[in-house]
């Protein structure tokens, strides 16, 4: 189970960076959309693939929410978060290792848009995380009758929407060159 959490976290730790792309909507480039869809579909695949093994806890915020919501023991939460952090470091190491030094640059370091304060970005991040965790709690609620659709796709699209809003409005993605 620990291995699935580490591998799942490393899959999400391998991130892409935005290159110069023409905008497809006001303030939204094609690569922002592609990155958001990639994250959402990777998460949907991981939830579908390993959800039955570990609950697909790939994000420490989700594990923390499950701990606070009395859905997980403190002992298990500590080990899950340690595995998630280890997986993120492993994913970053793989990305660093496979990226040629000539184009490595700042390696997907994201910064805030000019005019966006750290407090504003933190507030948006909190609300997007709450929206994401709410989606997970709602889709995994066993008391919910009439569950329609795919749990994994709902969670994946929730992450996609969070990325689309957060990245296009508040983050300036790095450029490889």
């Amino acid at each position: 189970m620990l291995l699935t959490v580490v591998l799942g976290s490393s899959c999400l730790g391998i991130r892409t960076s935005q290159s110069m792309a023409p905008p497809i909507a006001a303030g939204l480039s094609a690569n922002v959309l592609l990155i958001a869809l990639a994250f959402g579909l990777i998460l949907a695949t991981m939830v579908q693939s390993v959800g039955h093994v570990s609950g697909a806890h790939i994000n420490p915020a989700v594990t923390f929410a499950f701990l606070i919501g009395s859905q997980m023991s403190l002992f298990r939460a500590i080990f899950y978060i340690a595995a998630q952090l280890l997986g993120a470091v492993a994913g970053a190491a793989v990305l660093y290792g496979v990226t040629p030094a000539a184009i490595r640059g700042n390696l997907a370091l994201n910064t805030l848009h000019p005019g966006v304060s750290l407090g504003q970005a933190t507030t948006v991040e909190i609300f997007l995380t709450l929206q994401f965790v709410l989606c997970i709690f709602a889709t995994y609620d066993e008391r919910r009758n009439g569950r329609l659709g795919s749990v994994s796709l709902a969670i994946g699209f929730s992450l996609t929407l969070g990325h689309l809003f957060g990245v296009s409005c508040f983050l300036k993605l790095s450029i490889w060159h």
Side-chain angles (χ1 to χ4, degrees), residues 7-19:
L7 291 177
S9 298
S10 66
C11 285
L12 288 177
I14 299 173
R15 299 181 179 214
T16 57
S17 182
Q18 180 184 17
S19 63

Side-chain angles (χ1 to χ4, degrees), residues 62-75 77 81 137:
V62 173
T63 302
F64 182 71
F66 270 72
L67 174 66
I68 297 300
S70 299
Q71 303 292 317
M72 176 180 271
S73 71
L74 177 63
F75 183 73
I81 291 173
F137 271 105

Side-chain angles (χ1 to χ4, degrees), residues 2-162:
L2 178 67
L3 184 62
T4 61
V5 173
V6 170
L7 291 177
S9 298
S10 66
C11 285
L12 288 177
I14 299 173
R15 299 181 179 214
T16 57
S17 182
Q18 180 184 17
S19 63
M20 297 303 273
I24 58 173
L28 181 66
S29 73
N31 282 351
V32 171
L33 179 61
L34 292 174
I35 290 168
L37 283 172
F39 275 111
L41 293 175
I42 287 170
L43 182 62
T45 303
M46 296 304 296
V47 168
Q48 185 69 30
S49 302
V50 299
H52 66 285
V53 177
S54 66
H57 287 252
I58 298 171
N59 186 324
V62 173
T63 302
F64 182 71
F66 270 72
L67 174 66
I68 297 300
S70 299
Q71 303 292 317
M72 176 180 271
S73 71
L74 177 63
F75 183 73
R76 181 175 277 193
I78 289 171
F79 281 102
Y80 271 40
I81 291 173
Q84 291 157 353
L85 296 176
L86 182 64
V89 170
V94 168
L95 179 62
Y96 186 84
V98 299
T99 305
I103 63 167
R104 198 171 289 145
N106 58 10
L107 199 60
L109 176 66
N110 299 326
T111 57
L112 298 175
H113 276 300
V116 175
S117 72
L118 183 59
Q120 290 171 324
T122 302
T123 302
V124 168
E125 179 71 25
I126 289 169
F127 279 110
L128 292 177
T129 302
L130 290 173
Q131 169 266 328
F132 181 59
V133 169
L134 175 65
C135 177
I136 292 171
F137 271 105
T139 55
Y140 276 108
D141 188 0
E142 294 183 11
R143 299 168 296 175
R144 183 176 177 186
N145 294 329
R147 199 180 305 181
L148 299 174
S150 168
V151 169
S152 58
L153 281 178
I155 293 170
F157 285 140
S158 177
L159 183 69
T160 299
L161 291 173

